[in-house]
Amino acid sequence: MNGNIPNILVYHTSEADKYADFLRERGVASVQTASTPEEAMERLPGTDCIMAWRFPTELLSRPEAAAVRWIQSIGAGIEDLMSDPAIPRHIAITRIVDQFGGLIAEYVFAYLLLIGKELPRMMKAQSERRWSPFRVDALQGKVIGVAGLGSIGSEIVRKARAFDMTVYGLSFSGARSSLVDRHFDGAQWLAFVKELDYLVLTLPLTEQTRHAVDRRILHAMKPEASLVNVGRGPLVSEPDLIEAMTEGRLRAAVLDVFDREPLAPDHSFWGLPNVYVTPHLSGQSKFDAVGQFFMDNLRLFAAGEPLRGIVNRERGY
Amino acid sequence: MNGNIPNILVYHTSEADKYADFLRERGVASVQTASTPEEAMERLPGTDCIMAWRFPTELLSRPEAAAVRWIQSIGAGIEDLMSDPAIPRHIAITRIVDQFGGLIAEYVFAYLLLIGKELPRMMKAQSERRWSPFRVDALQGKVIGVAGLGSIGSEIVRKARAFDMTVYGLSFSGARSSLVDRHFDGAQWLAFVKELDYLVLTLPLTEQTRHAVDRRILHAMKPEASLVNVGRGPLVSEPDLIEAMTEGRLRAAVLDVFDREPLAPDHSFWGLPNVYVTPHLSGQSKFDAVGQFFMDNLRLFAAGEPLRGIVNRERGY
């Protein structure tokens, strides 16, 4: 470290220079960039901290990375970092927190309303120049279940209140159970889902949550219920969901995340009835906000104070 | 009137019997129905009060209607009744109030989110099995202008708060101006619209509001702004809006109400780019809630107490 100014490496396959410029414009001089593992390897010696999207974690155990003390992920999910237990324990891992709630909740309600108000039916009638009124259903009075009550889940709950919905929540810690009308824990999935009109997944991916929504859960849901996954693809068993949607067991499934991204062109989800596929865009980080989050953490790091968004490796998020 | 039990005529072209059965099941015996002006004429003698959708108002000045003291409209808008100044002054006119806010606000936010989050772009990419992420815009931080701050406008304001939007309002009375961040009156349309991202019309139709949104106002709006009309068709000049949308002056127009309904199959609106046409379904009355509203008013009427939703004929709503 050069006095109190840490040496920074920004790693991103396409936007490394953009983030580096953001930092330099704010007076941070000691910034290098890398967009490939080879470039990263070359620039690691002397690097104190890394700001990265999908960093090649195997490099962190090498002697070139001896000075690294902190890696800031550009995103809320950090399972790429969690999946590598070889990352030395003295390297702190932080993720972006409290920035995605509003955007993801907007995405969720955009689709809840699209489905609940039957906008595709309205658009089809218009394309046929057909005036055919029908009784439109309401969100008010319906039951939404939010699995995961972190900053994203909490924001969904807040908007659900404005729509006068009944709100159920499932979380492992139970810390925010007072936000919801009924709270369930990780052992109560069946009881949680059976009365829901909308099930929204915002959980982190851990060994406890992988494939939490499988055939058993899908079969327990009401046929008029819809599923929205804005968490991580593997929260849901893809084969079980494909089977359920093919059999018409749910009203709709809205999927922004998948086992493998990008979703392969021949994947069944693209063409299944009542399945809405979007390309992992519900909670994009806003460039400026991410830059500012890192700047704030950098100040804490230089001062030797606790960082924001620190990841608990035992918990997995 | 037969003791304290008024004689009731239910007038509706298709649902008169359904409403009559609702009343009879609740112990109201003296109910007749009519679905044509001829039937209404026949059953008017002795009728004390009328529950009606689009009643042929010319009958109310005839001797057969001598006993009529009250007409309850099945809806929030009553310009059909207002447009006939010959309705005798001793007949009280009531409309349904406080029932449409939630439903109409859901419709408004369904389309604000459809447009703001670019759902049609997402659906098109899916239909082509194309994984193409893009930066999705947000409602948070945008400016919504709500013209009309009655029970419907207030509910839209409430939901806009949950989406962290900046809220402007325009109303004639100014009674609820404290709900919004900036309030404008009927002489300030130009100042009201110029900063808006979304303009939502919920005003009643009066001489002051007819064609309030004309070429001058449409030209003053930002090109990225969208218009939503859930009030009455003639709040907007249809030729001026057709011109504006043809010229691409606005991002989108969402129209649930029109000068003439049903909208003619050859009307330009059906096929204009970025115009969403729906068949006056945003604020349908819920059958049970309307029936209950009338039952409650009937009790007040029989007791000689002031009715709910009474229309001020000078004000026009």
Side-chain angles (χ1 to χ4, degrees):
Chain A
M1 208 185 298
N2 173 13
N4 260 344
I5 316 290
N7 293 315
I8 299 160
L9 176 63
V10 178
Y11 184 88
H12 196 294
T13 44
S14 60
E15 298 195 325
D17 285 331
K18 209 174 143 196
Y19 279 109
D21 288 344
F22 180 95
L23 299 175
R24 290 183 190 120
E25 284 163 18
R26 281 152 188 80
V28 181
S30 52
V31 184
Q32 297 192 89
T33 60
S35 55
T36 65
E38 294 70 31
E39 287 177 8
M41 180 74 155
E42 206 173 283
R43 285 152 207 176
L44 270 175
T47 290
D48 301 297
C49 59
I50 300 170
M51 178 191 198
W53 178 244
R54 301 201 168 152
F55 191 78
T57 55
E58 64 280 8
L59 303 184
L60 295 172
S61 318
R62 301 186 58 115
E64 288 86 345
V68 176
R69 289 289 174 278
W70 164 38
I71 178 163
Q72 167 75 56
S73 168
I74 304 177
I78 36 71
E79 64 273 7
D80 53 332
L81 298 173
M82 288 301 97
S83 66
D84 184 352
I87 298 177
R89 306 291 292 189
H90 66 266
I91 300 182
I93 299 173
T94 55
R95 62 192 186 104
I96 305 284
V97 290
D98 294 338
Q99 295 202 335
F100 305 95
L103 287 175
I104 294 184
E106 288 189 12
Y107 171 97
V108 168
F109 278 88
Y111 278 99
L112 258 51
L113 287 161
L114 178 93
I115 294 162
K117 310 301 275 185
E118 298 187 66
L119 302 199
R121 179 173 172 183
M122 297 182 195
M123 292 190 277
K124 182 162 188 296
Q126 179 178 354
S127 73
E128 297 164 356
R129 293 176 173 254
R130 189 162 41 80
W131 181 273
S132 45
F134 59 93
R135 288 226 168 245
V136 183
D137 204 356
L139 291 193
Q140 65 188 42
K142 294 293 191 301
V143 186
I144 184 173
V146 182
L149 293 173
S151 60
I152 296 165
S154 304
E155 188 57 38
I156 294 168
V157 170
R158 177 177 161 236
K159 289 184 170 62
R161 294 295 179 198
F163 282 96
D164 301 313
M165 303 180 82
T166 298
V167 185
Y168 290 5
L170 181 144
S171 68
F172 289 82
S173 78
R176 285 178 169 158
S177 60
S178 64
L179 285 182
V180 297
D181 299 311
R182 283 186 67 186
H183 183 264
F184 301 82
D185 66 33
Q188 298 174 299
W189 272 95
L190 274 178
F192 171 57
V193 302
K194 69 180 188 199
E195 291 173 21
L196 302 181
D197 297 296
Y198 299 96
L199 168 59
V200 183
L201 308 178
T202 74
L203 291 161
L205 183 61
T206 68
E207 280 319 303
Q208 284 182 294
T209 64
R210 181 178 300 272
H211 292 186
V213 177
D214 58 8
R215 177 184 289 140
R216 201 173 65 110
I217 298 299
L218 293 166
H219 283 218
M221 291 175 72
K222 300 195 297 186
E224 63 269 33
S226 298
L227 167 71
V228 182
N229 189 2
V230 287
R232 283 296 179 253
L235 296 174
V236 179
S237 159
E238 286 197 355
D240 291 359
L241 182 59
I242 290 168
E243 182 190 89
M245 296 312 293
T246 306
E247 291 173 354
R249 285 191 180 270
L250 294 182
R251 180 170 182 185
V254 180
L255 307 172
D256 190 45
V257 288
F258 305 90
D259 280 354
R260 286 197 193 172
E261 299 176 8
L263 194 66
D266 62 349
H267 197 290
S268 312
F269 279 152
W270 291 112
L272 272 175
N274 305 316
V275 173
Y276 294 89
V277 168
T278 60
H280 202 149
L281 46 62
S282 66
Q284 292 156 324
S285 33
K286 284 186 174 172
F287 175 80
D288 283 5
V290 168
Q292 195 53 54
F293 189 95
F294 180 73
M295 282 293 295
D296 294 344
N297 252 351
L298 190 60
R299 227 165 273 135
L300 297 171
F301 181 76
E305 290 177 23
L307 303 176
R308 278 190 68 210
I310 201 115
V311 170
N312 177 324
R313 296 212 203 171
E314 278 62 48
R315 199 177 59 170
Y317 60 95
Chain B
M1 209 185 296
N2 171 14
N4 259 344
I5 316 291
N7 293 316
I8 299 160
L9 177 64
V10 178
Y11 184 88
H12 196 294
T13 44
S14 59
E15 298 195 322
D17 285 331
K18 205 173 145 197
Y19 279 109
D21 287 344
F22 181 95
L23 300 175
R24 289 184 191 119
E25 284 162 18
R26 280 151 189 82
V28 181
S30 52
V31 184
Q32 297 193 89
T33 60
S35 54
T36 64
E38 294 68 33
E39 286 176 10
M41 181 73 154
E42 208 172 280
R43 283 151 208 179
L44 269 175
T47 291
D48 301 298
C49 58
I50 300 170
M51 178 191 198
W53 178 245
R54 301 203 170 150
F55 191 78
T57 55
E58 65 279 8
L59 302 185
L60 296 171
S61 316
R62 299 187 58 116
E64 287 87 347
V68 176
R69 289 290 174 278
W70 165 39
I71 179 165
Q72 168 75 56
S73 168
I74 303 178
I78 36 69
E79 65 273 7
D80 53 332
L81 298 173
M82 287 302 97
S83 66
D84 184 353
I87 298 177
R89 306 291 290 190
H90 67 266
I91 300 182
I93 300 173
T94 55
R95 64 192 185 103
I96 305 284
V97 290
D98 294 336
Q99 295 202 335
F100 305 96
L103 288 175
I104 293 183
E106 288 189 13
Y107 172 98
V108 168
F109 278 88
Y111 278 99
L112 258 52
L113 287 161
L114 179 93
I115 294 162
K117 310 300 277 185
E118 298 187 65
L119 301 200
R121 179 173 171 184
M122 297 182 196
M123 291 190 278
K124 183 163 187 297
Q126 179 178 355
S127 72
E128 296 163 357
R129 293 175 173 253
R130 191 163 39 78
W131 181 274
S132 44
F134 60 92
R135 287 229 167 244
V136 183
D137 205 356
L139 291 192
Q140 66 188 40
K142 295 292 192 302
V143 186
I144 183 173
V146 182
L149 293 172
S151 60
I152 296 166
S154 305
E155 188 57 38
I156 293 169
V157 170
R158 177 178 161 236
K159 289 184 168 62
R161 295 294 181 200
F163 282 95
D164 300 314
M165 303 179 82
T166 298
V167 185
Y168 290 5
L170 181 145
S171 68
F172 288 83
S173 76
R176 286 177 169 160
S177 60
S178 64
L179 285 182
V180 297
D181 299 311
R182 283 186 66 187
H183 184 264
F184 301 83
D185 66 31
Q188 298 174 297
W189 271 96
L190 274 178
F192 170 57
V193 302
K194 71 180 185 197
E195 291 173 22
L196 302 180
D197 296 296
Y198 299 96
L199 168 59
V200 183
L201 308 177
T202 74
L203 291 160
L205 183 61
T206 68
E207 279 320 303
Q208 285 180 295
T209 64
R210 180 178 300 274
H211 291 187
V213 177
D214 58 9
R215 177 182 289 140
R216 202 173 65 111
I217 298 300
L218 293 166
H219 283 218
M221 290 174 73
K222 300 195 298 187
E224 63 270 33
S226 298
L227 167 71
V228 181
N229 189 2
V230 288
R232 283 295 180 252
L235 296 174
V236 178
S237 160
E238 286 197 355
D240 291 359
L241 182 59
I242 290 168
E243 183 190 86
M245 295 313 292
T246 305
E247 292 173 352
R249 283 190 181 270
L250 295 182
R251 180 170 184 187
V254 179
L255 308 171
D256 191 45
V257 289
F258 305 90
D259 282 353
R260 286 196 194 171
E261 299 175 6
L263 194 67
D266 62 348
H267 197 289
S268 313
F269 280 152
W270 291 113
L272 272 175
N274 305 316
V275 172
Y276 294 89
V277 168
T278 59
H280 203 148
L281 46 63
S282 66
Q284 291 157 325
S285 32
K286 284 187 174 173
F287 175 79
D288 282 5
V290 167
Q292 195 53 52
F293 189 95
F294 180 74
M295 281 294 296
D296 294 344
N297 252 351
L298 190 61
R299 227 166 272 132
L300 297 170
F301 181 77
E305 291 177 22
L307 302 176
R308 277 190 69 210
I310 200 114
V311 170
N312 177 325
R313 296 212 202 171
E314 277 64 47
R315 199 178 59 168
Y317 62 93

